[in-house]
Amino acid sequence: MCKDLKSHTLHLQRVVNHFTTEQIASNRLQLKASIFIVRYLAFQAIAFRGQDESFSSLNRGNFFESLAKLKKAIREEIGDAKFCIMVGEAHDESMKEQMAVVFRYIDAEGFVKDQFLGLIHVVDTAALILKKGIYSLLSQHYLDIQNIRGQGYDGANNMRGMWNGLQALILNDCPYAYYIHCFAHRLQLALVKASKQVNPISGFFLTLLFLIKIVNASCKRNEQLKVANANEIARLIDLEELKTGSELNQIDTLQQPVETCWSSHFRSVSSLLRMFTPTLEVLQNIIDDAILGEHRAEA
């Protein structure tokens, strides 16, 4: 396993080193364009959303219409070239399942580019539904399915399944759309598997998950955590133990680790360290206010 981790790490480092200054600048430009649109609409008090944001709408609202110009430029750059698709799925804060689609292709100057082209809401994560969503996106941008030369997903069964997985369904339609398991996802799975073999580490994250479950179990507790966090920040500022400035000392929340996201475990532990005192206060409130012994015992 150590050998696999080393090889994956070296591969990821080679990928990072391969990025050119032009590619990095291009990615930053796209991000800045999205931020510019958001800031412009906000400062001008212009509504983001439209009355009808469906793909068939003639006016999907100011934000989507502005982003459409970016997507048009990406589509023109792809042209009739071959491309690969990289897809990730996750649910958002409103518990809607979202599928992000990124296209990898070589531009006219010979540079490899990764461009985000769409976020698709899907009602289910079944392979057929995911395939339908991807094909719909391709159709909207007049991209030929037969030009797909690669697929990159995580290792979930609905994605990689040999017979009924998304990669198999697309491969049936396009025999050159070879599937590659996401290397970052492989590394994450290896790390999670290794950590579960060490009892103290495994026990720590089980306790962390249990703690987050208790504190985030209701809107009331979330609100208590925010208030306690704000009070703790104010106290530390008064003691001059925290720096003040733009975008510093934001009201935070506990982050739950996710096995398929390699950096989420670090964020989860960091969030608990930042909010340790407010978390203890919420737990004490649960003990004091609980009517049923179950919640009191858990806290």
PDB file of all heavy atoms in Angstrom, residues 51-74:
ATOM      1  N   GLN A  51     -37.088  34.484 -13.930  1.00  0.00           N
ATOM      2  CA  GLN A  51     -38.387  33.871 -13.664  1.00  0.00           C
ATOM      3  C   GLN A  51     -38.417  32.421 -14.136  1.00  0.00           C
ATOM      4  O   GLN A  51     -39.037  31.559 -13.519  1.00  0.00           O
ATOM      5  CB  GLN A  51     -39.497  34.669 -14.350  1.00  0.00           C
ATOM      6  CG  GLN A  51     -40.902  34.166 -14.024  1.00  0.00           C
ATOM      7  CD  GLN A  51     -41.975  35.046 -14.622  1.00  0.00           C
ATOM      8  OE1 GLN A  51     -41.692  36.048 -15.262  1.00  0.00           O
ATOM      9  NE2 GLN A  51     -43.228  34.691 -14.394  1.00  0.00           N
ATOM     10  N   ASP A  52     -37.707  32.156 -15.228  1.00  0.00           N
ATOM     11  CA  ASP A  52     -37.633  30.795 -15.761  1.00  0.00           C
ATOM     12  C   ASP A  52     -36.170  30.490 -16.067  1.00  0.00           C
ATOM     13  O   ASP A  52     -35.588  31.023 -17.005  1.00  0.00           O
ATOM     14  CB  ASP A  52     -38.476  30.681 -17.035  1.00  0.00           C
ATOM     15  CG  ASP A  52     -38.443  29.267 -17.628  1.00  0.00           C
ATOM     16  OD1 ASP A  52     -37.826  28.388 -17.006  1.00  0.00           O
ATOM     17  OD2 ASP A  52     -39.023  29.068 -18.705  1.00  0.00           O
ATOM     18  N   GLU A  53     -35.540  29.616 -15.249  1.00  0.00           N
ATOM     19  CA  GLU A  53     -34.127  29.298 -15.418  1.00  0.00           C
ATOM     20  C   GLU A  53     -33.907  27.967 -16.125  1.00  0.00           C
ATOM     21  O   GLU A  53     -32.802  27.439 -16.139  1.00  0.00           O
ATOM     22  CB  GLU A  53     -33.426  29.284 -14.057  1.00  0.00           C
ATOM     23  CG  GLU A  53     -33.378  30.651 -13.391  1.00  0.00           C
ATOM     24  CD  GLU A  53     -32.583  30.639 -12.110  1.00  0.00           C
ATOM     25  OE1 GLU A  53     -32.411  29.546 -11.522  1.00  0.00           O
ATOM     26  OE2 GLU A  53     -32.128  31.720 -11.686  1.00  0.00           O
ATOM     27  N   SER A  54     -34.948  27.408 -16.699  1.00  0.00           N
ATOM     28  CA  SER A  54     -34.811  26.145 -17.416  1.00  0.00           C
ATOM     29  C   SER A  54     -33.980  26.355 -18.675  1.00  0.00           C
ATOM     30  O   SER A  54     -33.826  27.473 -19.172  1.00  0.00           O
ATOM     31  CB  SER A  54     -36.180  25.582 -17.787  1.00  0.00           C
ATOM     32  OG  SER A  54     -36.837  26.441 -18.699  1.00  0.00           O
ATOM     33  N   PHE A  55     -33.413  25.259 -19.218  1.00  0.00           N
ATOM     34  CA  PHE A  55     -32.558  25.359 -20.391  1.00  0.00           C
ATOM     35  C   PHE A  55     -33.318  25.839 -21.627  1.00  0.00           C
ATOM     36  O   PHE A  55     -32.735  26.391 -22.551  1.00  0.00           O
ATOM     37  CB  PHE A  55     -31.901  24.004 -20.675  1.00  0.00           C
ATOM     38  CG  PHE A  55     -30.831  23.652 -19.694  1.00  0.00           C
ATOM     39  CD1 PHE A  55     -31.030  22.628 -18.778  1.00  0.00           C
ATOM     40  CD2 PHE A  55     -29.633  24.343 -19.667  1.00  0.00           C
ATOM     41  CE1 PHE A  55     -30.044  22.293 -17.863  1.00  0.00           C
ATOM     42  CE2 PHE A  55     -28.639  24.020 -18.758  1.00  0.00           C
ATOM     43  CZ  PHE A  55     -28.840  22.993 -17.855  1.00  0.00           C
ATOM     44  N   SER A  56     -34.639  25.629 -21.647  1.00  0.00           N
ATOM     45  CA  SER A  56     -35.428  26.050 -22.797  1.00  0.00           C
ATOM     46  C   SER A  56     -35.834  27.521 -22.723  1.00  0.00           C
ATOM     47  O   SER A  56     -36.366  28.067 -23.680  1.00  0.00           O
ATOM     48  CB  SER A  56     -36.683  25.176 -22.919  1.00  0.00           C
ATOM     49  OG  SER A  56     -37.483  25.291 -21.745  1.00  0.00           O
ATOM     50  N   SER A  57     -35.550  28.155 -21.589  1.00  0.00           N
ATOM     51  CA  SER A  57     -35.951  29.555 -21.402  1.00  0.00           C
ATOM     52  C   SER A  57     -35.139  30.480 -22.309  1.00  0.00           C
ATOM     53  O   SER A  57     -33.943  30.280 -22.538  1.00  0.00           O
ATOM     54  CB  SER A  57     -35.754  29.952 -19.935  1.00  0.00           C
ATOM     55  OG  SER A  57     -35.997  31.335 -19.763  1.00  0.00           O
ATOM     56  N   LEU A  58     -35.790  31.511 -22.817  1.00  0.00           N
ATOM     57  CA  LEU A  58     -35.108  32.504 -23.645  1.00  0.00           C
ATOM     58  C   LEU A  58     -34.336  33.510 -22.797  1.00  0.00           C
ATOM     59  O   LEU A  58     -33.472  34.232 -23.310  1.00  0.00           O
ATOM     60  CB  LEU A  58     -36.126  33.240 -24.525  1.00  0.00           C
ATOM     61  CG  LEU A  58     -36.866  32.365 -25.551  1.00  0.00           C
ATOM     62  CD1 LEU A  58     -37.884  33.213 -26.313  1.00  0.00           C
ATOM     63  CD2 LEU A  58     -35.885  31.708 -26.512  1.00  0.00           C
ATOM     64  N   ASN A  59     -34.659  33.595 -21.519  1.00  0.00           N
ATOM     65  CA  ASN A  59     -33.952  34.490 -20.603  1.00  0.00           C
ATOM     66  C   ASN A  59     -33.880  33.817 -19.234  1.00  0.00           C
ATOM     67  O   ASN A  59     -34.839  33.834 -18.472  1.00  0.00           O
ATOM     68  CB  ASN A  59     -34.665  35.840 -20.500  1.00  0.00           C
ATOM     69  CG  ASN A  59     -33.872  36.852 -19.676  1.00  0.00           C
ATOM     70  OD1 ASN A  59     -32.871  36.515 -19.046  1.00  0.00           O
ATOM     71  ND2 ASN A  59     -34.318  38.095 -19.698  1.00  0.00           N
ATOM     72  N   ARG A  60     -32.725  33.224 -18.920  1.00  0.00           N
ATOM     73  CA  ARG A  60     -32.572  32.448 -17.697  1.00  0.00           C
ATOM     74  C   ARG A  60     -32.158  33.292 -16.501  1.00  0.00           C
ATOM     75  O   ARG A  60     -31.855  32.758 -15.432  1.00  0.00           O
ATOM     76  CB  ARG A  60     -31.548  31.338 -17.906  1.00  0.00           C
ATOM     77  CG  ARG A  60     -31.885  30.378 -19.037  1.00  0.00           C
ATOM     78  CD  ARG A  60     -30.848  29.289 -19.131  1.00  0.00           C
ATOM     79  NE  ARG A  60     -30.833  28.470 -17.930  1.00  0.00           N
ATOM     80  CZ  ARG A  60     -29.773  27.772 -17.528  1.00  0.00           C
ATOM     81  NH1 ARG A  60     -28.641  27.836 -18.212  1.00  0.00           N
ATOM     82  NH2 ARG A  60     -29.836  27.034 -16.436  1.00  0.00           N
ATOM     83  N   GLY A  61     -32.133  34.597 -16.648  1.00  0.00           N
ATOM     84  CA  GLY A  61     -31.709  35.461 -15.552  1.00  0.00           C
ATOM     85  C   GLY A  61     -30.319  36.012 -15.802  1.00  0.00           C
ATOM     86  O   GLY A  61     -29.555  35.515 -16.629  1.00  0.00           O
ATOM     87  N   ASN A  62     -29.974  37.072 -15.081  1.00  0.00           N
ATOM     88  CA  ASN A  62     -28.740  37.815 -15.349  1.00  0.00           C
ATOM     89  C   ASN A  62     -27.485  36.978 -15.145  1.00  0.00           C
ATOM     90  O   ASN A  62     -26.551  37.043 -15.950  1.00  0.00           O
ATOM     91  CB  ASN A  62     -28.696  39.058 -14.462  1.00  0.00           C
ATOM     92  CG  ASN A  62     -29.832  40.014 -14.766  1.00  0.00           C
ATOM     93  OD1 ASN A  62     -30.020  40.418 -15.907  1.00  0.00           O
ATOM     94  ND2 ASN A  62     -30.609  40.360 -13.760  1.00  0.00           N
ATOM     95  N   PHE A  63     -27.436  36.182 -14.068  1.00  0.00           N
ATOM     96  CA  PHE A  63     -26.227  35.424 -13.785  1.00  0.00           C
ATOM     97  C   PHE A  63     -25.992  34.346 -14.845  1.00  0.00           C
ATOM     98  O   PHE A  63     -24.902  34.227 -15.400  1.00  0.00           O
ATOM     99  CB  PHE A  63     -26.312  34.792 -12.396  1.00  0.00           C
ATOM    100  CG  PHE A  63     -25.072  34.049 -11.997  1.00  0.00           C
ATOM    101  CD1 PHE A  63     -23.917  34.733 -11.659  1.00  0.00           C
ATOM    102  CD2 PHE A  63     -25.051  32.664 -11.969  1.00  0.00           C
ATOM    103  CE1 PHE A  63     -22.761  34.056 -11.291  1.00  0.00           C
ATOM    104  CE2 PHE A  63     -23.907  31.969 -11.611  1.00  0.00           C
ATOM    105  CZ  PHE A  63     -22.757  32.675 -11.271  1.00  0.00           C
ATOM    106  N   PHE A  64     -27.022  33.558 -15.138  1.00  0.00           N
ATOM    107  CA  PHE A  64     -26.870  32.485 -16.118  1.00  0.00           C
ATOM    108  C   PHE A  64     -26.585  33.027 -17.515  1.00  0.00           C
ATOM    109  O   PHE A  64     -25.793  32.453 -18.271  1.00  0.00           O
ATOM    110  CB  PHE A  64     -28.125  31.606 -16.154  1.00  0.00           C
ATOM    111  CG  PHE A  64     -28.161  30.577 -15.057  1.00  0.00           C
ATOM    112  CD1 PHE A  64     -29.208  30.562 -14.147  1.00  0.00           C
ATOM    113  CD2 PHE A  64     -27.157  29.637 -14.928  1.00  0.00           C
ATOM    114  CE1 PHE A  64     -29.241  29.628 -13.129  1.00  0.00           C
ATOM    115  CE2 PHE A  64     -27.186  28.685 -13.930  1.00  0.00           C
ATOM    116  CZ  PHE A  64     -28.230  28.673 -13.019  1.00  0.00           C
ATOM    117  N   GLU A  65     -27.227  34.134 -17.860  1.00  0.00           N
ATOM    118  CA  GLU A  65     -27.015  34.697 -19.191  1.00  0.00           C
ATOM    119  C   GLU A  65     -25.583  35.217 -19.343  1.00  0.00           C
ATOM    120  O   GLU A  65     -24.983  35.122 -20.411  1.00  0.00           O
ATOM    121  CB  GLU A  65     -28.015  35.819 -19.455  1.00  0.00           C
ATOM    122  CG  GLU A  65     -29.455  35.344 -19.598  1.00  0.00           C
ATOM    123  CD  GLU A  65     -29.659  34.427 -20.796  1.00  0.00           C
ATOM    124  OE1 GLU A  65     -28.915  34.569 -21.788  1.00  0.00           O
ATOM    125  OE2 GLU A  65     -30.543  33.556 -20.738  1.00  0.00           O
ATOM    126  N   SER A  66     -25.041  35.772 -18.255  1.00  0.00           N
ATOM    127  CA  SER A  66     -23.661  36.265 -18.298  1.00  0.00           C
ATOM    128  C   SER A  66     -22.682  35.098 -18.409  1.00  0.00           C
ATOM    129  O   SER A  66     -21.709  35.150 -19.176  1.00  0.00           O
ATOM    130  CB  SER A  66     -23.352  37.095 -17.042  1.00  0.00           C
ATOM    131  OG  SER A  66     -24.201  38.222 -16.967  1.00  0.00           O
ATOM    132  N   LEU A  67     -22.927  34.034 -17.638  1.00  0.00           N
ATOM    133  CA  LEU A  67     -22.058  32.859 -17.696  1.00  0.00           C
ATOM    134  C   LEU A  67     -22.146  32.163 -19.049  1.00  0.00           C
ATOM    135  O   LEU A  67     -21.189  31.525 -19.488  1.00  0.00           O
ATOM    136  CB  LEU A  67     -22.423  31.868 -16.583  1.00  0.00           C
ATOM    137  CG  LEU A  67     -21.960  32.208 -15.165  1.00  0.00           C
ATOM    138  CD1 LEU A  67     -22.391  31.106 -14.211  1.00  0.00           C
ATOM    139  CD2 LEU A  67     -20.454  32.389 -15.107  1.00  0.00           C
ATOM    140  N   ALA A  68     -23.290  32.281 -19.705  1.00  0.00           N
ATOM    141  CA  ALA A  68     -23.467  31.628 -21.009  1.00  0.00           C
ATOM    142  C   ALA A  68     -22.430  32.121 -22.013  1.00  0.00           C
ATOM    143  O   ALA A  68     -21.981  31.366 -22.883  1.00  0.00           O
ATOM    144  CB  ALA A  68     -24.877  31.883 -21.532  1.00  0.00           C
ATOM    145  N   LYS A  69     -22.036  33.383 -21.901  1.00  0.00           N
ATOM    146  CA  LYS A  69     -21.034  33.933 -22.813  1.00  0.00           C
ATOM    147  C   LYS A  69     -19.685  33.245 -22.590  1.00  0.00           C
ATOM    148  O   LYS A  69     -18.924  33.013 -23.539  1.00  0.00           O
ATOM    149  CB  LYS A  69     -20.912  35.442 -22.599  1.00  0.00           C
ATOM    150  CG  LYS A  69     -22.191  36.213 -22.936  1.00  0.00           C
ATOM    151  CD  LYS A  69     -22.031  37.698 -22.700  1.00  0.00           C
ATOM    152  CE  LYS A  69     -23.322  38.446 -23.046  1.00  0.00           C
ATOM    153  NZ  LYS A  69     -23.205  39.897 -22.793  1.00  0.00           N
ATOM    154  N   LEU A  70     -19.360  32.928 -21.293  1.00  0.00           N
ATOM    155  CA  LEU A  70     -18.118  32.205 -21.011  1.00  0.00           C
ATOM    156  C   LEU A  70     -18.148  30.813 -21.626  1.00  0.00           C
ATOM    157  O   LEU A  70     -17.163  30.336 -22.208  1.00  0.00           O
ATOM    158  CB  LEU A  70     -17.913  32.100 -19.496  1.00  0.00           C
ATOM    159  CG  LEU A  70     -17.652  33.402 -18.742  1.00  0.00           C
ATOM    160  CD1 LEU A  70     -17.597  33.124 -17.249  1.00  0.00           C
ATOM    161  CD2 LEU A  70     -16.397  34.056 -19.227  1.00  0.00           C
ATOM    162  N   LYS A  71     -19.289  30.126 -21.467  1.00  0.00           N
ATOM    163  CA  LYS A  71     -19.421  28.771 -22.001  1.00  0.00           C
ATOM    164  C   LYS A  71     -19.341  28.768 -23.526  1.00  0.00           C
ATOM    165  O   LYS A  71     -18.804  27.836 -24.125  1.00  0.00           O
ATOM    166  CB  LYS A  71     -20.746  28.155 -21.539  1.00  0.00           C
ATOM    167  CG  LYS A  71     -20.820  27.913 -20.041  1.00  0.00           C
ATOM    168  CD  LYS A  71     -22.144  27.264 -19.650  1.00  0.00           C
ATOM    169  CE  LYS A  71     -22.205  27.014 -18.163  1.00  0.00           C
ATOM    170  NZ  LYS A  71     -23.483  26.383 -17.749  1.00  0.00           N
ATOM    171  N   LYS A  72     -19.881  29.818 -24.141  1.00  0.00           N
ATOM    172  CA  LYS A  72     -19.826  29.921 -25.604  1.00  0.00           C
ATOM    173  C   LYS A  72     -18.380  30.001 -26.072  1.00  0.00           C
ATOM    174  O   LYS A  72     -17.992  29.369 -27.070  1.00  0.00           O
ATOM    175  CB  LYS A  72     -20.603  31.146 -26.068  1.00  0.00           C
ATOM    176  CG  LYS A  72     -20.630  31.313 -27.587  1.00  0.00           C
ATOM    177  CD  LYS A  72     -21.416  32.547 -27.997  1.00  0.00           C
ATOM    178  CE  LYS A  72     -21.422  32.716 -29.518  1.00  0.00           C
ATOM    179  NZ  LYS A  72     -22.161  33.936 -29.922  1.00  0.00           N
ATOM    180  N   ALA A  73     -17.553  30.743 -25.330  1.00  0.00           N
ATOM    181  CA  ALA A  73     -16.141  30.874 -25.696  1.00  0.00           C
ATOM    182  C   ALA A  73     -15.424  29.533 -25.563  1.00  0.00           C
ATOM    183  O   ALA A  73     -14.580  29.177 -26.401  1.00  0.00           O
ATOM    184  CB  ALA A  73     -15.470  31.922 -24.810  1.00  0.00           C
ATOM    185  N   ILE A  74     -15.765  28.777 -24.509  1.00  0.00           N
ATOM    186  CA  ILE A  74     -15.162  27.456 -24.312  1.00  0.00           C
ATOM    187  C   ILE A  74     -15.561  26.525 -25.450  1.00  0.00           C
ATOM    188  O   ILE A  74     -14.731  25.786 -25.990  1.00  0.00           O
ATOM    189  CB  ILE A  74     -15.588  26.865 -22.950  1.00  0.00           C
ATOM    190  CG1 ILE A  74     -15.017  27.705 -21.803  1.00  0.00           C
ATOM    191  CG2 ILE A  74     -15.128  25.415 -22.819  1.00  0.00           C
ATOM    192  CD1 ILE A  74     -15.535  27.307 -20.441  1.00  0.00           C
TER     193      ILE A  74
END
